[in-house]
Amino acid sequence: MMGRMQLEKEVQIPADAVQLAGSLVLPEHAVGLVAFAHGSGSSRFSPRNTFVARQLNQAGIATLLMDLLTEEEDRRYETRFDIDLLTDRLLQATYWLQKQPATKDLEIGYFGASTGAAAALKAAAALPSSVRAVVSRGGRPDLADEALAKVQSPTLLIVGGNDPVVLQLNRNAFEQLPGEKDLIIVPGATHLFEEPGTLEEVARLATGWFRSHLHSVPVA
């Protein structure tokens, strides 16, 4: 569904005692919303996540790109890799989206990259009735630990064919996911999907997955 942008704005999301910065885009007649969980050391300005988000917007899917950590928190190595903290921040952002007039009626999916994929899966396990789909790009689903076996959301794992260590970790995690799932290997892609055409393939796959699983009533 192609349509003009109805709303694009910077938002502040309350989480614990901090405010997390985010960029919310709502296409006209949005068919769902995808919240992004970036990898450690990245931010809402990740060029790869931004690219995927814009492709989702073109397909009529709303997006929230957000910082899971404050600038001070992101400077601390141990905080960057605190999956429980990242999960909690994603959950609080989800609760915030469910309260906003413009987004409360949209079904929610998660797109996680690197360590953000573990946070997305753990959050999905905690909110089985709210999170309708998860997509992981070059993710570390193994870091979701025991939460993997509790994920009910349809999950797509996308891994580069030239990223052998992460590919094996994804294969192991894939076996533990109990529900609807798929593992797609993008030929020739390394961990960051920097090779020509590989990120476009990620966006195409993610768009198809979310379009299949987010079935919100369109927002006028």
Side-chain angles (χ1 to χ4, degrees), residues 30-48:
V31 295
L33 185 148
V34 173
F36 281 70
H38 59 73
S40 301
S42 187
S43 73
R44 71 186 188 280
F45 299 117
S46 159
R48 287 168 288 278

Side-chain angles (χ1 to χ4, degrees), residues 107-126:
E107 290 189 346
I108 293 173
Y110 291 152
F111 183 98
S114 190
T115 50
L121 287 164
K122 291 194 79 165

Side-chain angles (χ1 to χ4, degrees), residues 157-184:
L157 306 179
I158 306 172
V159 189
N162 291 348
D163 191 10
V165 174
V166 172
L167 176 54
Q168 188 57 53
L169 292 171
N170 274 258
R171 282 176 167 150
N172 295 342
F174 182 78
E175 295 301 320
Q176 299 177 56
L177 290 167
E180 182 181 349
K181 58 187 177 179
D182 200 359
L183 169 61
I184 296 182

Side-chain angles (χ1 to χ4, degrees), residues 5 20 24 90 110 150 152 177 199:
M5 291 301 145
L20 302 175
L24 178 67
L90 184 56
Y110 291 152
K150 302 175 183 177
Q152 298 180 29
L177 290 167
L199 192 59

Side-chain angles (χ1 to χ4, degrees), residues 8-23:
E8 182 168 356
K9 67 175 182 177
E10 297 301 301
V11 295
Q12 294 289 322
I13 301 167
D16 304 318
V18 303
Q19 296 282 323
L20 302 175
S23 301

Side-chain angles (χ1 to χ4, degrees), residues 70-185:
T70 65
E71 289 185 8
E72 180 181 352
E73 290 170 337
D74 193 54
R75 285 194 289 267
R76 298 199 297 268
Y77 178 86
E78 63 275 13
T79 309
R80 283 187 179 187
F81 291 90
D82 187 338
I83 303 301
D84 287 338
L85 175 61
L86 298 176
T87 300
D88 183 63
R89 294 290 170 80
L90 184 56
L91 287 171
Q92 292 190 63
T94 304
Y95 301 144
W96 180 85
L97 287 166
Q98 291 172 331
K99 295 176 183 177
Q100 304 309 303
T103 56
K104 64 183 179 65
D105 294 323
L106 294 174
E107 290 189 346
I108 293 173
Y110 291 152
F111 183 98
S114 190
T115 50
L121 287 164
K122 291 194 79 165
L127 294 175
S129 62
S130 297
V131 181
R132 298 300 183 183
V134 178
V135 173
S136 162
R137 169 184 64 79
R140 291 292 308 276
D142 54 297
L143 296 177
D145 299 325
E146 68 278 359
L148 281 173
K150 302 175 183 177
V151 176
Q152 298 180 29
S153 310
T155 299
L156 172 62
L157 306 179
I158 306 172
V159 189
N162 291 348
D163 191 10
V165 174
V166 172
L167 176 54
Q168 188 57 53
L169 292 171
N170 274 258
R171 282 176 167 150
N172 295 342
F174 182 78
E175 295 301 320
Q176 299 177 56
L177 290 167
E180 182 181 349
K181 58 187 177 179
D182 200 359
L183 169 61
I184 296 182
I185 302 168

